[in-house]
Amino acid sequence: MASNDPTQIQTFQSKGFDDTVEFEKGRVLAVSDESRAVTNEEHKLGLFEAVSTYPKIVIWCMFLCLPIIGIQYDQTVMGAYYALPAFQQRYGNYVGGKWVIPAQWQSAISMAGYLGQVIGALGVAAWPLDRFGPRRTLTVAVAAVVGCIFIQFFSQTIEVLYVGELLQGLVSGSFIVICVSYASELSPLPLRGILSSYANLCAVTGQFIGTGVTFAFQSRLDQWAYRIPFAIQWWWCIIYFIFIWFAPESPYWLVRKDREDEAVAVLTRLSGRHDSQQDALRRVAMMRVTNQMEKEASSSTTFAECFRGPNLRRTEICVVAYIIQVWGGAALMGYSTLFFELAGLPSKNAFALSLGSKGFAFAGTILSWFILWRVGRRTLYCWGQVALTCFLFVIGILDVMPNYPSHPGLQYSQAVMLMLFAFVYDFSIGPVEYVLLGEISSTRLRGKTIAVALAIKAVFGITNSVSMPYMMNSDHANMRGKAGFLFGGLNLLFAAWAFMRIPETKGRTFEEIDMLFERGVKAKDFSKYVSDADVHQE
């Protein structure tokens, strides 16, 4: 809404907003009367003050993201198994004096998880999430994972193992959809970026644990070298079932179901404020306004609505940013153990370096929380993409240097570059992607938008799973670090897209984000708009 009132312009000047010409052009977001008080309050609330005010929300958001640890643990274990001697002997073929898992089965098993995610995200997660809410949907999904682990643990052939991976992928497709949407909807504004990006920390934790477990068992030559890592997956299922019944329901979901009294009760229980009930009433009022605004813009909540009007742009951002996680060089991290072995490093050193890269990734995710809070989403994502592109080209250049791979210094330099890639990835585009999923999508279509993004990412993941073993295996293309040239070239295109399309949503309520997308504001101009809640207080 444009602001031409001289009194209002003078108010903006007194608050430090001197560019009155820009505000006259409509750079003011007039929020609703019902949500103005909460909007102003959340804009002023600091990070540490938010943590001390809403500690229960922080704890529950962290707890409900635990299933993501299990997803990444399983994927990491399966990726590391291809370099595990006991697994190779059990499921592989003897070729050229050593045991090798056939490339077609590596592709099929890796593809099984992605194929399951396509079905799970679109067919399993979206409908029950809308119908029954995130808490009950998560509970049923975790119960189904327990059965999938049994199939993996007792599999005697690679075909049965494939079925177990396919079914687990189908169920796990619902986890990311639910966990990310839950964290973004429950958390207060100053904590939304951190609690959404916590999903990435869970993913890195799963990778770290998976790599550490396979490293611990890589010297064993019996069946327990790969069966025990499968069985360890049951631990988080047990923990989850103990506490899930005490978890709160998403207040946004309750508002969408016209159960506002229950939403108020949930937020009152989770608030640490002295006026917790009044605080809850104000927050529910803002949720009601946001829900009504989006309902007026699009009455339908079908998948088709994700591709209409302003929602098309929002879906595009979520989808492409998610695809970058697959085709932006992260595949090299998934194959890090095999990558190090193909570079000429001993199996034990390859596992150790792979574990080290996961430690770098863990530290990077923690660091991202502080950077997200200060610089925002757009800056961190775009410049992180530029840095990753540079690392990929360096990895490729090292691979074509003279005396490679016989020169140990070049091998370890390449390993260090991959570890630095993991560090930068997980303090930039890795965690920011989860924040974008939770903030860019509209509240009424959040589950479906994330499901679409996850399903399309999984389709691209399938092509990646088919091609990577043939690109990396010594009995096929044997590209090794030269794959850095391919992914580096793709990242140049992704970096250009990011600068043009990723908006800055730091410090924006969902109501404000809806307004910016409805106006068609360019990505680079999101931060130039000011909410009138910042200058008018009730």
Side-chain angles (χ1 to χ4, degrees):
M1 179 183 297
S3 177
N4 296 316
D5 181 359
T7 304
Q8 188 177 29
I9 292 175
Q10 181 62 40
T11 304
F12 283 123
Q13 289 176 324
S14 68
K15 292 288 183 178
F17 302 113
D18 297 324
D19 196 357
T20 57
V21 176
E22 292 296 329
F23 289 118
E24 288 176 354
K25 290 181 179 178
R27 295 285 172 91
V28 180
L29 300 175
V31 299
S32 63
D33 294 335
E34 294 92 337
S35 63
R36 180 169 287 114
V38 180
T39 300
N40 175 264
E41 185 176 298
E42 293 211 334
H43 282 179
K44 295 189 299 182
L45 193 62
L47 176 64
F48 297 104
E49 184 181 358
V51 173
S52 62
T53 303
Y54 302 103
K56 294 179 182 178
I57 290 179
V58 174
I59 293 171
W60 281 117
C61 285
M62 293 175 67
F63 168 76
L64 288 163
C65 283
L66 282 180
I68 297 178
I69 296 178
I71 299 173
Q72 293 300 321
Y73 174 90
D74 179 70
Q75 293 179 355
T76 302
V77 164
M78 285 307 307
Y81 277 169
Y82 302 141
L84 190 69
F87 188 85
Q88 291 171 338
Q89 291 181 33
R90 183 68 185 84
Y91 296 106
N93 298 328
Y94 195 72
V95 179
K98 61 180 180 180
W99 290 95
V100 178
I101 302 296
Q104 61 269 28
W105 275 113
Q106 288 189 39
S107 298
I109 292 175
S110 299
M111 187 175 15
Y114 285 119
L115 182 60
Q117 285 181 13
V118 173
I119 303 171
L122 297 178
V124 175
W127 179 79
L129 178 60
D130 284 344
R131 178 67 179 82
F132 302 108
R135 187 171 66 90
R136 283 183 285 180
T137 305
L138 270 177
T139 304
V140 174
V142 173
V145 166
V146 173
C148 297
I149 298 171
F150 270 101
I151 296 176
Q152 295 172 321
F153 182 82
F154 291 106
S155 64
Q156 296 296 317
T157 65
I158 200 167
E159 291 85 357
V160 175
L161 185 62
Y162 169 81
V163 172
E165 283 295 308
L166 177 64
L167 293 176
Q168 183 156 337
L170 188 148
V171 177
S172 65
S174 63
F175 290 151
I176 295 176
V177 175
I178 300 170
C179 295
V180 174
S181 62
Y182 186 96
S184 64
E185 292 181 353
L186 187 62
S187 61
L189 183 58
L191 298 176
R192 197 172 64 204
I194 293 176
L195 293 178
S196 297
S197 63
Y198 174 75
N200 189 73
L201 183 66
C202 289
V204 172
T205 300
Q207 295 168 2
F208 185 81
I209 296 173
T211 304
V213 169
T214 50
F215 175 69
F217 288 95
Q218 59 92 24
S219 60
R220 293 189 63 142
L221 299 178
D222 59 7
Q223 61 178 335
W224 299 109
Y226 54 87
R227 280 195 167 183
I228 291 177
F230 278 140
I232 289 176
Q233 295 180 85
W234 280 313
W235 73 267
W236 68 264
C237 297
I238 297 172
I239 294 176
Y240 211 83
F241 273 113
I242 293 174
F243 295 101
I244 186 61
W245 299 108
F246 303 99
E249 192 54 89
S250 166
Y252 264 99
W253 180 79
L254 292 171
V255 170
R256 288 195 292 271
K257 295 298 179 181
D258 297 322
R259 295 159 59 180
E260 293 188 7
D261 290 343
E262 294 178 53
V264 171
V266 167
L267 290 174
T268 300
R269 178 160 64 96
L270 296 176
S271 176
R273 298 168 59 97
H274 66 278
D275 58 340
S276 58
Q277 187 170 17
Q278 291 301 315
D279 176 53
L281 288 168
R282 290 192 296 266
R283 294 188 68 188
V284 168
M286 183 172 68
M287 294 176 188
R288 183 196 312 121
V289 169
T290 303
N291 182 60
Q292 185 61 36
M293 180 190 304
E294 293 180 358
K295 186 183 292 186
E296 292 172 357
S298 56
S299 58
S300 172
T301 57
T302 62
F303 278 108
E305 200 63 41
C306 297
F307 301 94
R308 293 173 182 160
N311 289 324
L312 174 60
R313 179 185 174 192
R314 302 170 86 155
T315 303
E316 174 224 327
I317 294 170
C318 293
V319 168
V320 178
Y322 223 163
I323 290 173
I324 292 175
Q325 285 197 339
V326 180
W327 278 16
L332 291 179
M333 295 192 297
Y335 279 80
S336 58
T337 304
L338 184 61
F339 177 87
F340 292 141
E341 280 194 345
L342 293 173
L345 298 176
S347 177
K348 185 176 181 179
N349 291 357
F351 271 98
L353 285 173
S354 182
L355 184 61
S357 68
K358 300 302 185 293
F360 269 59
F362 189 94
T365 303
I366 299 295
L367 178 62
S368 74
W369 295 349
F370 301 96
I371 301 176
L372 265 173
W373 181 52
R374 290 190 174 276
V375 308
R377 290 75 163 127
R378 174 180 167 83
T379 301
L380 184 56
Y381 193 98
C382 293
W383 288 108
Q385 190 67 35
V386 171
L388 294 176
T389 302
C390 296
F391 283 126
L392 288 168
F393 278 117
V394 171
I395 290 173
I397 291 170
L398 287 172
D399 203 83
V400 297
M401 294 288 287
N403 300 322
Y404 186 91
S406 59
H407 195 293
L410 293 176
Q411 294 173 4
Y412 283 98
S413 295
Q414 200 174 60
V416 169
M417 287 296 104
L418 188 58
M419 294 173 73
L420 290 175
F421 179 94
F423 177 75
V424 174
Y425 176 92
D426 282 293
F427 85 70
S428 59
I429 72 171
V432 174
E433 164 56 23
Y434 291 103
V435 181
L436 294 177
L437 287 174
E439 293 183 343
I440 297 297
S441 55
S442 69
T443 59
R444 286 174 59 79
L445 293 172
R446 178 158 296 128
K448 289 184 172 63
T449 302
I450 297 175
V452 168
L454 178 60
I456 295 177
K457 174 208 172 186
V459 171
F460 279 83
I462 289 173
T463 63
N464 202 63
S465 298
V466 172
S467 60
M468 280 299 292
Y470 291 96
M471 288 168 55
M472 301 299 293
N473 276 15
S474 57
D475 57 342
H476 288 85
N478 195 27
M479 289 183 67
R480 301 192 309 261
K482 298 182 188 68
F485 290 122
L486 171 63
F487 291 117
L490 291 172
N491 260 16
L492 284 176
L493 300 176
F494 292 143
W497 173 86
F499 277 102
M500 291 187 294
R501 304 297 286 173
I502 298 291
E504 182 54 73
T505 53
K506 174 179 176 286
R508 297 290 187 190
T509 65
F510 289 132
E511 181 185 5
E512 292 172 309
I513 293 172
D514 286 343
M515 291 179 182
L516 290 167
F517 276 108
E518 286 292 332
R519 289 187 179 192
V521 176
K522 293 181 180 179
K524 64 182 179 64
D525 293 333
F526 263 53
S527 59
K528 297 178 182 178
Y529 280 70
V530 176
S531 171
D532 65 352
D534 293 327
V535 291
H536 291 296
Q537 304 179 39
E538 294 185 339

